[in-house]
């Protein structure tokens, strides 16, 4: 299920976005709506939505600062910005923070639905990897592993997962060395 948080300071725009999203069905649910970036930031930490739809210009904390916080804290969330500003600098900053889509107001139902489905597809892949990493974490022998050891273990397990799930074309097969600095290579 896609859990969506909407952050928009204009009540009528926020209500219209929420209404559009609720009409989509397809396992998409609005779990909250915020009137500014600070409120949205607190809701993200409480509700753990899978997608944030935010305006850029909001009081107290704007959408770009909110997205920067998400990026800096490495929160796994899809982000769609809806803005009334066709400003290349805003879009450029948004992309640097990992925003998935930048839509211009007024946004129509089809644009928003396409953006949500695109984000949903990307998140499905991330969710699969997250599930696998959680399995790895539960198998670690001690909680006090050093960060380097944990990262090496995760890298090795990720390589094993990739090899098992890789679809090889043209007779190519992945090979991996067990050395800590190893890379996956495709060989014939």
């Amino acid at each position: 299920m896609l859990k969506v948080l909407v952050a928009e300071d204009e009540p009528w725009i926020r209500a219209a976005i929420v209404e559009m999203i609720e009409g989509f069905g397809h396992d998409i649910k609005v779990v909250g709506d915020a009137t500014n970036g600070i409120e949205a930031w607190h809701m993200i930490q409480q509700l753990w939505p899978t997608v944030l739809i935010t305006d850029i210009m909001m009081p107290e904390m704007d959408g770009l600062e909110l997205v920067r916080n998400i990026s800096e804290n490495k929160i796994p969330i899809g982000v769609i910005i809806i803005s009334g500003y066709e400003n290349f600098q805003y879009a450029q900053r948004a992309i640097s923070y990992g925003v998935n889509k930048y839509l211009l107001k007024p946004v129509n139902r089809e644009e928003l639905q396409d953006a949500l489905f695109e984000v949903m597809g990307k998140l499905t892949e991330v969710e699969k990897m997250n599930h696998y990493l959680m399995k790895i974490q539960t198998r670690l022998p001690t909680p006090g592993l050093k960060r380097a050891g944990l990262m090496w273990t995760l890298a090795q397990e990720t390589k094993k997962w990739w090899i098992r799930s890789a679809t090889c074309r043209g007779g190519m097969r992945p090979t991996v060395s067990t050395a800590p600095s190893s890379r996956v290579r495709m060989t014939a």
Side-chain angles (χ1 to χ4, degrees), residues 5-22:
L5 173 64
V6 178
E8 167 64 61
D9 60 324
E10 295 291 336
W12 62 276
I13 296 174
R14 187 174 60 251
I17 292 169
V18 168
E19 186 178 321
M20 274 193 271
I21 294 167
E22 289 176 344

Side-chain angles (χ1 to χ4, degrees), residues 121-171:
K122 289 177 183 176
L123 290 175
T124 300
E125 292 303 315
V126 170
E127 186 178 318
K128 287 178 187 176
M129 180 58 93
N130 186 39
H131 175 72
Y132 184 73
L133 291 174
M134 292 299 289
K135 283 174 122 179
I136 293 168
Q137 185 177 3
T138 60
R139 292 182 184 166
L140 292 175
T142 61
L145 285 177
K146 291 183 179 175
R147 182 181 171 119
L150 174 62
M151 294 310 292
W152 187 83
T153 302
L154 289 175
Q156 294 307 307
E157 292 299 320
T158 302
K159 287 176 189 176
K160 290 177 190 174
W161 172 83
W162 185 82
I163 289 167
R164 285 194 301 268
S165 65
T167 55
C168 301
R169 296 182 200 134

